[in-house]
Every structure is written in C-alpha cells, then in structure tokens.
C-alpha cells in the first residue's frame, strides 16, 4: 500500500534545501524513540534512546467509560489492544520505573532533561474497526479525548519529571474519522499542546494522493501543530529494505512543507530486521539534516539482543 518513488541523490539534496527553512520544532526535545512492548529494557539507555512508545492499548474503554480511576493500577480503562498481551496501567508503571533513569541522559539536544513516554493506542492487530466506531460518534470521540487527557494528567502527577503524550496508531480504517475535530477539542481542553504531545501514525506515503492514509494530511493541516492539536506524525516503516534515498522520497515530500521539522517522526527499522536498518545511499545527506533540524526517530520495534546497528543510526542523527 505504500507508494514507491526512486529518487536521485540530486533530487534528495534539492528537497532538503527547500525544506530546511521549516526548522521550528513542535517541542523542545528531539525524540529518539522506540516502540516498546517489554523486550530489551537493558539496552534502551546504552543504545541512545530518550523516549519510548509503550504499545499497544485499546482506545475502546476510554471511549465508553464515563468514570475512570487512573490511580488504580488495575483500572479497566487502560486495557491491552488486540495482541497487546497483558499490558495494563501496572505494566506502564513498572516499565517507567525500570527505564526512566536509562533514558534521561540521552535527551537531545540538552542531556539529562525529562525523558518522554507516549502511550500508544491501536496498532495493526487492533485494526480500524474500533477507531471507525469511536470517530463516527461525537459522544465517543469527545469522551475519548476527555479520558486520554485525564490519563496523561494523572501520569504527570505521579511522575513530574517525565513528559507524557499519546500516540494514535490508527490503521486500516474505512472512514476518514469524521468526529476527529470533536476529539481534538475535548483532549486539548485539558491537555495543552505545549505540555502533552499528541502523535498520529500514518503510512510513509500518506502525502501522496493515492495513499489510503492521505486523509491524515488534511487532519494535520486543519488540526496540527499550527492549531495546537496534533503535534507529531509518525511516518511508519516501509515493509521493505529501504535506503535513506528511498525513504527521503516519502519523508521529505513537498506536501509536508507546512509541518515543523520537529513535528516529523521518521519511522525506521530496529534490530527486529537488522538488514533493514536505514542505510546508504543517501544517509550522508539525510542524517545531518535530521540532526540539524531536530527531526524525530521512531524505531519499530525495540528488541532484545545486540543494538549496534540501530545505535549507530541514533548516534548519527542526534541533535547536538
């Protein structure tokens, strides 16, 4: 489903120069982030990460429960998505307590600041039906926004030296989320954009009109960083072995020029498929651009074992 364009080195350089003027980050910190489901906790710090997206949770309980007790580690409002194992609020607490000290020295561009945790809802296994149901109802969309905001506020109160946000991993929908504006208004009424990141995931090709995720481009234009709504878009990994040149044709599409560079998250493969970790040609140009402009990295997904390959990418793109 991802639109493929072969791009020459000169074309990549031209796009980089054209987009370099949009360099204001959506947030002060560059996210060097991995999707995390419980494996590899011992290497998150040594590999250079400063953020984790804790995955995956179901959005449905937060769109149906009018009363949620986010101080209860077993609250039914925080439930695993399909394929999410036994993830609950207690697991979130345990993960934070076991990883925050390792992430903190790696914050960028200034070390030893607040690490970031995004709570990731949805995912491919969850599919699109739940999202279609929620965003086809103004009441459900509003309640989802209210409860997600309350959830982040409760986490922030428990861990005041950590930054928290939401990741909307919305995939395989059949609608274009008609009540998304209702959700944004409800969420941002209590969770301001300058404090709580809100990320949406999209296919890497979503800027292209032929992409099934193209509607998310309009969501970002209407309810994105400029409007204090969504702060980040994670352009997910392509399901192929891809070079920097190849992926730049998606990540640096001219249609994305309205987005602050610090609001972009480039999805890259981790050690789950070592041979697919981002590589030349094109990295000698792309990596300095990422570092200079504070573009974020989203690794799919964190794994156990050696981290040499992905750690080298993180070191090369870190904002100084």
């Amino acid at each position: 489903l991802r639109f493929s364009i072969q791009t020459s080195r000169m074309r990549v350089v031209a796009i980089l120069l054209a987009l370099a003027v949009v360099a204001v980050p959506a947030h002060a910190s560059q996210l060097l982030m991995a999707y995390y489901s419980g494996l590899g906790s011992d290497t998150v710090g040594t590999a250079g990460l400063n953020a984790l997206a804790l995955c995956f949770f179901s959005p449905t309980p937060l769109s149906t429960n009018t009363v949620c007790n986010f101080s209860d580690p077993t609250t039914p409002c925080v439930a695993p998505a399909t394929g999410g194992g036994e993830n609950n609020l207690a697991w979130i607490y345990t993960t934070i307590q076991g990883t925050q000290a390792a992430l903190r020295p790696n914050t960028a561009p200034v070390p030893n600041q607040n690490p970031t945790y995004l709570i990731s809802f949805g995912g491919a296994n969850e599919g699109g039906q739940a999202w279609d149901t929620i965003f086809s109802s103004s009441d459900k969309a509003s309640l989802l926004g209210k409860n997600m905001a309350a959830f982040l506020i409760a986490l922030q109160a428990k861990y005041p030296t950590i930054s928290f946000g939401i990741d909307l991993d919305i995939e395989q929908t059949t609608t274009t989320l008609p009540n998304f504006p209702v959700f944004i208004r409800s969420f941002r009424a209590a969770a301001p954009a300058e404090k709580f990141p809100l990320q949406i995931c999209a296919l890497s090709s979503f800027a292209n009109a032929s992409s099934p995720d193209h509607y998310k481009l309009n969501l970002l234009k209407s309810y994105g960083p400029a409007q204090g709504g969504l702060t980040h878009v994670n352009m997910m990994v392509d399901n192929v072995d891809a070079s920097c040149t190849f992926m730049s044709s998606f990540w640096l599409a001219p249609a994305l020029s309205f987005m602050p560079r610090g609001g972009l998250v480039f999805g890259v493969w981790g050690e789950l498929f070592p041979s697919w970790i981002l590589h030349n040609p094109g990295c000698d140009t792309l990596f300095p651009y990422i570092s200079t402009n504070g573009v974020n990295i989203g690794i799919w997904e964190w794994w156990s074992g050696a981290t040499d390959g992905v750690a080298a990418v993180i070191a090369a793109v870190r904002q100084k």
Side-chain angles (χ1 to χ4, degrees):
L1 295 177
R2 303 187 184 200
F3 185 74
S4 300
I5 305 173
Q6 291 294 340
T7 309
S8 68
R9 178 182 171 85
M10 291 183 63
R11 172 67 170 161
V12 172
V13 172
I15 293 172
L16 290 172
L17 291 173
L19 294 179
V21 295
V22 188
V24 180
H27 286 268
S29 297
Q30 180 196 33
L31 300 179
L32 303 169
M33 179 174 62
Y35 281 79
Y36 180 85
S37 59
L39 295 175
S41 62
D42 57 320
T43 60
V44 296
T46 55
L49 297 177
N50 59 31
L52 295 176
L54 305 183
C55 57
F56 285 108
F57 295 87
S58 173
T60 298
L62 294 180
S63 71
T64 56
N65 285 287
T66 56
V67 177
C68 289
N69 180 6
F70 293 117
S71 63
D72 176 6
T74 63
T75 175
C77 291
V78 183
T82 302
E86 299 180 359
N87 292 1
N88 59 10
L89 184 52
W91 178 80
I92 291 175
Y93 290 165
T94 299
T95 301
I96 291 170
Q97 291 159 7
T99 58
Q100 62 169 311
L103 300 177
R104 193 174 301 276
N106 299 325
T107 56
V110 180
N112 295 306
Q113 303 300 302
N114 292 354
T116 299
Y117 291 84
L118 301 186
I119 312 303
S120 187
F121 290 86
N125 288 337
E126 181 78 354
Q129 184 175 356
W131 296 115
D132 285 328
T133 298
I134 292 167
F135 287 113
S136 293
S137 163
S138 61
D139 288 344
K140 290 182 184 296
S142 179
L143 186 57
L144 179 70
K146 177 183 176 181
N147 278 334
M148 282 187 169
F151 185 21
L152 294 185
I153 291 168
L155 286 171
Q156 188 76 80
K158 185 174 179 66
Y159 301 103
T161 61
I162 292 174
S163 296
F164 290 99
I166 295 291
D167 172 50
L168 303 171
D169 194 341
I170 298 173
E171 304 187 41
Q172 306 167 31
T173 55
T174 59
T175 71
T176 56
L177 313 181
N179 283 289
F180 195 79
V182 176
F183 162 78
I184 287 289
R185 288 194 294 270
S186 178
F187 179 76
R188 287 304 184 202
E194 61 270 18
K195 187 173 183 180
F196 297 104
L198 179 62
Q199 173 176 283
I200 192 168
C201 292
L203 297 176
S204 57
S205 64
F206 85 106
N208 189 279
S210 65
S211 171
D213 270 3
H214 187 63
Y215 73 93
K216 294 176 182 176
L217 185 70
N218 290 328
L219 292 183
L220 284 161
K221 287 181 177 179
S222 299
Y223 311 102
Q227 294 78 28
L230 294 163
T231 57
H232 296 78
V233 56
N234 173 32
M235 289 177 275
M236 298 184 291
V237 292
D238 210 342
N239 292 324
V240 295
D241 175 17
S243 69
C244 286
T245 297
F246 180 83
M247 293 309 300
S248 292
S249 64
F250 306 127
W251 293 339
L252 303 177
L256 294 173
S257 61
F258 70 95
M259 279 291 295
R261 301 298 90 184
L264 299 177
V265 181
F266 292 171
V268 302
W269 284 100
E271 301 290 350
L272 181 61
F273 290 108
S275 64
W276 286 10
I277 292 173
L278 205 57
H279 57 76
N280 276 316
C283 297
D284 53 344
T285 302
L286 181 64
F287 285 177
Y289 176 83
I290 294 172
S291 175
T292 299
N293 291 284
V295 179
N296 310 285
I297 295 295
I299 298 163
W300 178 256
E301 67 176 307
W302 204 246
W303 210 243
S304 56
T307 62
D308 295 354
V310 72
V313 172
I314 294 170
V317 303
R318 180 179 302 278
Q319 188 178 25
K320 306 298 191 291

Tab-separated table of all heavy atoms in Angstrom, residues 134-146 177-189 219 223:
chain	number	residue	atom	x	y	z
A	134	ILE	N	-15.464	4.725	17.126
A	134	ILE	CA	-15.275	5.879	18.025
A	134	ILE	C	-15.472	7.191	17.289
A	134	ILE	O	-16.225	8.076	17.723
A	134	ILE	CB	-13.881	5.825	18.677
A	134	ILE	CG1	-13.794	4.655	19.653
A	134	ILE	CG2	-13.559	7.145	19.380
A	134	ILE	CD1	-12.383	4.323	20.100
A	135	PHE	N	-14.822	7.337	16.144
A	135	PHE	CA	-14.838	8.627	15.463
A	135	PHE	C	-16.056	8.825	14.568
A	135	PHE	O	-16.198	9.873	13.931
A	135	PHE	CB	-13.545	8.816	14.677
A	135	PHE	CG	-12.362	9.102	15.561
A	135	PHE	CD1	-11.327	8.187	15.676
A	135	PHE	CD2	-12.299	10.264	16.301
A	135	PHE	CE1	-10.236	8.446	16.498
A	135	PHE	CE2	-11.225	10.534	17.129
A	135	PHE	CZ	-10.182	9.621	17.237
A	136	SER	N	-16.948	7.839	14.545
A	136	SER	CA	-18.248	8.025	13.895
A	136	SER	C	-19.295	8.532	14.880
A	136	SER	O	-20.436	8.806	14.497
A	136	SER	CB	-18.722	6.710	13.260
A	136	SER	OG	-17.880	6.352	12.181
A	137	SER	N	-18.915	8.652	16.151
A	137	SER	CA	-19.812	9.133	17.203
A	137	SER	C	-19.186	10.343	17.885
A	137	SER	O	-18.075	10.254	18.414
A	137	SER	CB	-20.052	8.019	18.235
A	137	SER	OG	-20.586	8.539	19.436
A	138	SER	N	-19.886	11.446	17.902
A	138	SER	CA	-19.337	12.631	18.571
A	138	SER	C	-19.201	12.401	20.071
A	138	SER	O	-18.257	12.888	20.698
A	138	SER	CB	-20.209	13.854	18.287
A	138	SER	OG	-21.525	13.655	18.768
A	139	ASP	N	-20.144	11.660	20.657
A	139	ASP	CA	-20.073	11.395	22.104
A	139	ASP	C	-18.855	10.544	22.446
A	139	ASP	O	-18.136	10.827	23.421
A	139	ASP	CB	-21.338	10.688	22.573
A	139	ASP	CG	-22.556	11.602	22.587
A	139	ASP	OD1	-22.368	12.828	22.537
A	139	ASP	OD2	-23.692	11.078	22.624
A	140	LYS	N	-18.615	9.485	21.661
A	140	LYS	CA	-17.461	8.625	21.926
A	140	LYS	C	-16.156	9.367	21.680
A	140	LYS	O	-15.195	9.225	22.454
A	140	LYS	CB	-17.529	7.366	21.059
A	140	LYS	CG	-18.628	6.387	21.434
A	140	LYS	CD	-18.595	5.155	20.550
A	140	LYS	CE	-19.743	4.211	20.854
A	140	LYS	NZ	-19.656	3.656	22.215
A	141	ALA	N	-16.089	10.141	20.618
A	141	ALA	CA	-14.874	10.891	20.314
A	141	ALA	C	-14.560	11.901	21.416
A	141	ALA	O	-13.406	12.080	21.823
A	141	ALA	CB	-15.014	11.597	18.965
A	142	SER	N	-15.600	12.560	21.910
A	142	SER	CA	-15.415	13.533	22.983
A	142	SER	C	-14.953	12.860	24.271
A	142	SER	O	-14.039	13.351	24.954
A	142	SER	CB	-16.718	14.292	23.231
A	142	SER	OG	-16.574	15.229	24.276
A	143	LEU	N	-15.579	11.730	24.612
A	143	LEU	CA	-15.200	11.019	25.834
A	143	LEU	C	-13.780	10.466	25.721
A	143	LEU	O	-13.018	10.492	26.706
A	143	LEU	CB	-16.187	9.890	26.104
A	143	LEU	CG	-16.023	9.135	27.428
A	143	LEU	CD1	-16.092	10.076	28.628
A	143	LEU	CD2	-17.079	8.038	27.556
A	144	LEU	N	-13.396	9.982	24.544
A	144	LEU	CA	-12.030	9.515	24.350
A	144	LEU	C	-11.039	10.633	24.622
A	144	LEU	O	-10.036	10.440	25.330
A	144	LEU	CB	-11.850	8.987	22.926
A	144	LEU	CG	-10.443	8.485	22.579
A	144	LEU	CD1	-10.112	7.187	23.324
A	144	LEU	CD2	-10.298	8.275	21.065
A	145	GLY	N	-11.287	11.819	24.061
A	145	GLY	CA	-10.392	12.949	24.290
A	145	GLY	C	-10.317	13.347	25.750
A	145	GLY	O	-9.234	13.602	26.288
A	146	LYS	N	-11.472	13.384	26.417
A	146	LYS	CA	-11.515	13.749	27.842
A	146	LYS	C	-10.721	12.756	28.681
A	146	LYS	O	-9.921	13.147	29.548
A	146	LYS	CB	-12.960	13.812	28.300
A	146	LYS	CG	-13.135	14.117	29.779
A	146	LYS	CD	-14.605	14.103	30.177
A	146	LYS	CE	-14.778	14.317	31.671
A	146	LYS	NZ	-16.223	14.283	32.061
A	177	LEU	N	-12.483	9.371	9.842
A	177	LEU	CA	-12.568	9.846	11.231
A	177	LEU	C	-13.364	11.153	11.324
A	177	LEU	O	-12.838	12.195	11.718
A	177	LEU	CB	-11.164	10.031	11.813
A	177	LEU	CG	-10.173	8.886	11.581
A	177	LEU	CD1	-8.837	9.207	12.244
A	177	LEU	CD2	-10.724	7.556	12.083
A	178	PRO	N	-14.664	11.122	10.970
A	178	PRO	CA	-15.434	12.362	10.849
A	178	PRO	C	-15.519	13.214	12.117
A	178	PRO	O	-15.670	14.439	12.023
A	178	PRO	CB	-16.821	11.869	10.404
A	178	PRO	CG	-16.876	10.420	10.761
A	178	PRO	CD	-15.472	9.927	10.626
A	179	ASN	N	-15.423	12.589	13.290
A	179	ASN	CA	-15.521	13.367	14.528
A	179	ASN	C	-14.156	13.613	15.172
A	179	ASN	O	-14.076	13.884	16.378
A	179	ASN	CB	-16.461	12.677	15.509
A	179	ASN	CG	-17.922	12.892	15.137
A	179	ASN	OD1	-18.445	14.002	15.267
A	179	ASN	ND2	-18.569	11.847	14.638
A	180	PHE	N	-13.109	13.548	14.350
A	180	PHE	CA	-11.771	13.855	14.876
A	180	PHE	C	-11.703	15.266	15.473
A	180	PHE	O	-11.073	15.452	16.526
A	180	PHE	CB	-10.732	13.683	13.780
A	180	PHE	CG	-9.319	13.616	14.289
A	180	PHE	CD1	-8.808	12.451	14.844
A	180	PHE	CD2	-8.499	14.732	14.239
A	180	PHE	CE1	-7.508	12.392	15.325
A	180	PHE	CE2	-7.191	14.688	14.717
A	180	PHE	CZ	-6.700	13.512	15.266
A	181	PRO	N	-12.323	16.280	14.854
A	181	PRO	CA	-12.277	17.618	15.479
A	181	PRO	C	-12.879	17.645	16.879
A	181	PRO	O	-12.389	18.370	17.753
A	181	PRO	CB	-13.098	18.478	14.510
A	181	PRO	CG	-13.061	17.758	13.212
A	181	PRO	CD	-13.011	16.301	13.555
A	182	VAL	N	-13.921	16.853	17.103
A	182	VAL	CA	-14.536	16.778	18.437
A	182	VAL	C	-13.539	16.216	19.438
A	182	VAL	O	-13.401	16.729	20.560
A	182	VAL	CB	-15.809	15.910	18.395
A	182	VAL	CG1	-16.391	15.740	19.796
A	182	VAL	CG2	-16.839	16.502	17.448
A	183	PHE	N	-12.840	15.177	19.032
A	183	PHE	CA	-11.813	14.583	19.896
A	183	PHE	C	-10.732	15.600	20.236
A	183	PHE	O	-10.339	15.738	21.405
A	183	PHE	CB	-11.198	13.370	19.201
A	183	PHE	CG	-9.874	12.929	19.777
A	183	PHE	CD1	-9.827	12.207	20.958
A	183	PHE	CD2	-8.682	13.262	19.144
A	183	PHE	CE1	-8.607	11.815	21.501
A	183	PHE	CE2	-7.469	12.875	19.681
A	183	PHE	CZ	-7.426	12.150	20.863
A	184	ILE	N	-10.235	16.305	19.225
A	184	ILE	CA	-9.157	17.273	19.450
A	184	ILE	C	-9.597	18.342	20.438
A	184	ILE	O	-8.867	18.691	21.382
A	184	ILE	CB	-8.721	17.910	18.116
A	184	ILE	CG1	-7.921	16.899	17.276
A	184	ILE	CG2	-7.881	19.170	18.363
A	184	ILE	CD1	-6.546	16.581	17.813
A	185	ARG	N	-10.785	18.886	20.243
A	185	ARG	CA	-11.259	19.931	21.155
A	185	ARG	C	-11.384	19.411	22.583
A	185	ARG	O	-11.000	20.102	23.547
A	185	ARG	CB	-12.606	20.481	20.665
A	185	ARG	CG	-12.510	21.347	19.430
A	185	ARG	CD	-13.798	22.113	19.207
A	185	ARG	NE	-14.912	21.222	18.881
A	185	ARG	CZ	-15.246	20.863	17.649
A	185	ARG	NH1	-14.533	21.308	16.618
A	185	ARG	NH2	-16.280	20.068	17.439
A	186	SER	N	-11.896	18.207	22.731
A	186	SER	CA	-12.070	17.628	24.065
A	186	SER	C	-10.713	17.358	24.715
A	186	SER	O	-10.511	17.666	25.900
A	186	SER	CB	-12.880	16.334	23.953
A	186	SER	OG	-13.023	15.720	25.209
A	187	PHE	N	-9.796	16.790	23.964
A	187	PHE	CA	-8.477	16.465	24.504
A	187	PHE	C	-7.712	17.730	24.881
A	187	PHE	O	-7.169	17.845	25.986
A	187	PHE	CB	-7.691	15.661	23.473
A	187	PHE	CG	-6.303	15.275	23.899
A	187	PHE	CD1	-6.083	14.243	24.798
A	187	PHE	CD2	-5.193	15.945	23.389
A	187	PHE	CE1	-4.804	13.888	25.188
A	187	PHE	CE2	-3.904	15.604	23.768
A	187	PHE	CZ	-3.715	14.572	24.680
A	188	ARG	N	-7.672	18.693	23.975
A	188	ARG	CA	-6.878	19.899	24.211
A	188	ARG	C	-7.513	20.851	25.222
A	188	ARG	O	-6.830	21.743	25.740
A	188	ARG	CB	-6.621	20.626	22.888
A	188	ARG	CG	-5.596	19.923	21.995
A	188	ARG	CD	-4.299	19.710	22.708
A	188	ARG	NE	-3.243	19.124	21.866
A	188	ARG	CZ	-2.200	18.475	22.343
A	188	ARG	NH1	-2.050	18.314	23.658
A	188	ARG	NH2	-1.279	17.989	21.539
A	189	ALA	N	-8.760	20.649	25.562
A	189	ALA	CA	-9.386	21.474	26.602
A	189	ALA	C	-8.690	21.298	27.939
A	189	ALA	O	-8.672	22.217	28.776
A	189	ALA	CB	-10.870	21.128	26.730
A	219	LEU	N	-5.996	16.208	8.096
A	219	LEU	CA	-6.130	16.322	9.549
A	219	LEU	C	-5.000	17.155	10.130
A	219	LEU	O	-5.214	17.992	11.009
A	219	LEU	CB	-6.141	14.933	10.192
A	219	LEU	CG	-7.341	14.018	9.928
A	219	LEU	CD1	-7.198	12.714	10.716
A	219	LEU	CD2	-8.655	14.714	10.271
A	223	TYR	N	-5.833	20.385	12.022
A	223	TYR	CA	-5.775	20.155	13.472
A	223	TYR	C	-4.370	19.740	13.886
A	223	TYR	O	-4.193	18.865	14.726
A	223	TYR	CB	-6.795	19.075	13.873
A	223	TYR	CG	-8.161	19.320	13.305
A	223	TYR	CD1	-8.605	18.596	12.197
A	223	TYR	CD2	-8.986	20.303	13.834
A	223	TYR	CE1	-9.857	18.844	11.644
A	223	TYR	CE2	-10.235	20.562	13.287
A	223	TYR	CZ	-10.659	19.825	12.187
A	223	TYR	OH	-11.886	20.083	11.638
